[in-house]
Amino acid sequence: GKLKMQDEKFLAGFLFISVIVVRYVQSFYRTSFAHSKGGSLSITMNNARADQTKFNQFPFLHILEYPDDDYSHLLGYNSPNHKPSRLQVISQLKIEEVIRYKKPIDTQGCGIDRSFYVSSDDLREEIVDFDEKYSPPLNLFDQLAQKAPQMAIAAEFKRASPSKGDINPTLKILDQCLLYAEMGATVISVLTEFKHFKGTLDDMKSVRIATESKYRTSRPAILRKDFVFDRYQILEARAYGADTVLLIVAVLGVNQLQDLISFSRQQGMEPLVEVHTDREMEIAISAGARVVGVNNRDL
C-alpha cells in the first residue's frame, strides 16, 4: 500500500530491478598479480603498441598498461570497419578522466594544487578515516546468499542516461534511496558517473551514511555503478562508502579483470562482475568472480 501511495515518486527515480546471478564456485582465488611499483595500477599514454589497426578501433586500449592482456572478446575487436559502441566511447572518456584525477597539476609553476589532485595514498587515508566512523563493507555474496531462496533486488538511482537523457535531474537521492531500503532492496546501485548519468561519488557516500544510520547492519549493500578500469577507482569507491563495485567484462581485458577482482577483495569488497555473452561469462568465472550480473541488453 505504501508503495502505491508513492508511485509517482518511486517511478521518477527510474527503479532498475535486476536479477543477480550468484555463482557458487570452488574457493579458488587469484591473489597475486604483476603490478606497477607502489601497488597502484599505472595508466599512462602508450602509443607505441603493436598492431596499430586494432587500437585505432579501440582508443582506450592505448592507455591501459596491460601489454600482454587479452581483449579478443571485445565487440568488434577483429573487425576493420568496427565503430566503437556507446559503451566503448564512454569508456574512453572515463579513462581519460581517471588519468586527469591521478595526475598532479602544477598551477603556473606555483606548485601542486591539492584541490585538483587526490593521490592513492590520500584515498587510503580517507578509507581509514571512514572506517573509524562507520562499519566495514558488507559482503555482496553473503548479502545475496542470505536472501535465498527469495530473489534479491537491486534498486538503482540515476538522474539521467545516455539513451534516455534526463530522467529526473532534481530528484532527491536520499528520499529515493531510503524508500528503496524501506521496500526491502538488498542492493542499492548508485551511478557515480556525471557526464552521462549526472551522478557523483558524494551521492553514493550520502546514501551509504543515511542507510547505515537508519538500518545499521541490516542496511542494503551500496554498489558503485561506474566504468571501472583502475585500482584508483576502487580506492575511490571504498573511501566514499561503497560495499561493492561494478566490473564490466565487455570493456576489460582478461588479466585486468582478474586484477581488479583481486584488488577489490583486498579492500574488503566483493565485486559484481557484469557479463552479456557466453564468452564473457566464461571469462568472469575463470577470473574467479563469485557474483555475476547478466546484462540482457544489446550493448
Side-chain angles (χ1 to χ4, degrees):
K2 188 164 186 178
L3 179 60
K4 291 182 179 179
M5 290 171 59
Q6 302 192 45
D7 269 352
E8 183 178 352
K9 182 178 180 183
F10 196 73
L11 295 176
F14 195 73
L15 176 64
F16 178 81
I17 300 177
S18 61
V19 179
I20 298 180
V21 180
V22 183
R23 287 294 300 256
Y24 291 84
V25 296
Q26 294 180 345
S27 57
F28 170 80
Y29 303 103
R30 301 174 185 267
T31 56
S32 61
F33 299 90
H35 265 285
S36 57
K37 193 173 182 181
S40 178
L41 171 64
S42 173
I43 289 184
T44 55
M45 294 303 295
N46 180 9
N47 292 321
R49 300 289 296 270
D51 199 344
Q52 192 68 31
T53 302
K54 290 181 179 178
F55 295 107
N56 284 339
Q57 299 166 20
F58 302 96
F60 60 90
L61 298 189
H62 279 301
I63 48 184
L64 297 177
E65 282 212 350
Y66 285 90
D68 299 322
D69 212 341
D70 178 5
Y71 297 96
S72 61
H73 59 284
L74 268 60
L75 177 68
Y77 188 74
N78 285 315
S79 174
N81 298 319
H82 173 70
K83 293 182 179 179
S85 66
R86 179 178 290 164
L87 175 60
Q88 291 166 346
V89 170
I90 294 174
S91 297
Q92 166 74 20
L93 296 173
K94 190 66 182 184
I95 292 178
E96 291 173 353
E97 177 184 289
V98 173
I99 290 172
R100 289 195 299 272
Y101 287 167
K102 291 177 65 175
K103 184 178 179 180
I105 299 174
D106 188 346
T107 54
Q108 299 179 347
C110 297
I112 303 301
D113 185 342
R114 299 294 295 181
S115 65
F116 290 101
Y117 169 61
V118 179
S119 70
S120 294
D121 288 340
D122 292 332
L123 290 172
R124 293 178 194 279
E125 290 179 6
E126 290 183 21
I127 291 170
V128 171
D129 291 342
F130 191 92
D131 287 351
E132 288 177 352
K133 299 176 183 177
Y134 305 101
S135 61
L138 298 176
N139 184 287
L140 179 62
F141 182 89
D142 292 343
Q143 289 293 107
L144 298 173
Q146 289 169 12
K147 275 288 189 177
Q150 296 179 326
M151 181 183 293
I153 301 298
E156 183 163 285
F157 182 90
K158 58 184 174 187
R159 299 182 179 92
S161 75
S163 59
K164 298 290 185 181
D166 286 351
I167 297 170
N168 192 334
T170 62
L171 188 66
K172 295 180 179 179
I173 188 168
L174 293 186
D175 290 347
Q176 192 68 30
C177 289
L178 286 173
L179 181 59
Y180 290 161
E182 185 179 348
M183 293 298 110
T186 304
V187 179
I188 295 179
S189 169
V190 181
L191 269 295
T192 60
E193 196 276 342
F194 184 76
K195 182 176 177 62
H196 301 88
F197 297 92
K198 291 184 168 59
T200 68
L201 285 164
D202 285 329
D203 283 338
M204 182 180 68
K205 186 174 184 178
S206 69
V207 173
R208 164 63 191 277
I209 293 172
T211 53
E212 179 163 331
S213 296
K214 186 169 184 179
Y215 295 100
R216 303 299 176 184
T217 56
S218 62
R219 65 179 177 83
I222 306 302
L223 166 71
R224 179 185 186 182
K225 187 166 185 183
D226 209 319
F227 305 89
V228 175
F229 299 89
D230 192 300
R231 287 181 168 199
Y232 180 88
Q233 293 171 278
I234 293 173
L235 290 175
E236 276 185 329
R238 185 71 170 78
Y240 281 79
D243 297 291
T244 180
V245 295
L246 180 69
L247 301 176
I248 304 174
V249 180
V251 290
L252 295 173
V254 173
N255 297 330
Q256 184 182 18
L257 175 65
Q258 291 173 344
D259 171 68
L260 295 177
I261 290 174
S262 177
F263 190 71
S264 295
R265 289 175 179 156
Q266 290 171 28
Q267 307 311 311
M269 298 188 296
E270 182 64 43
L272 170 60
V273 180
E274 178 183 302
V275 305
H276 84 293
T277 67
D278 290 344
R279 175 60 183 144
E280 289 177 10
M281 176 65 89
E282 293 171 359
I283 291 170
I285 298 304
S286 295
R290 300 187 74 205
V291 185
V292 175
V294 178
N295 189 328
N296 64 352
R297 294 174 297 169
D298 182 359
L299 300 182

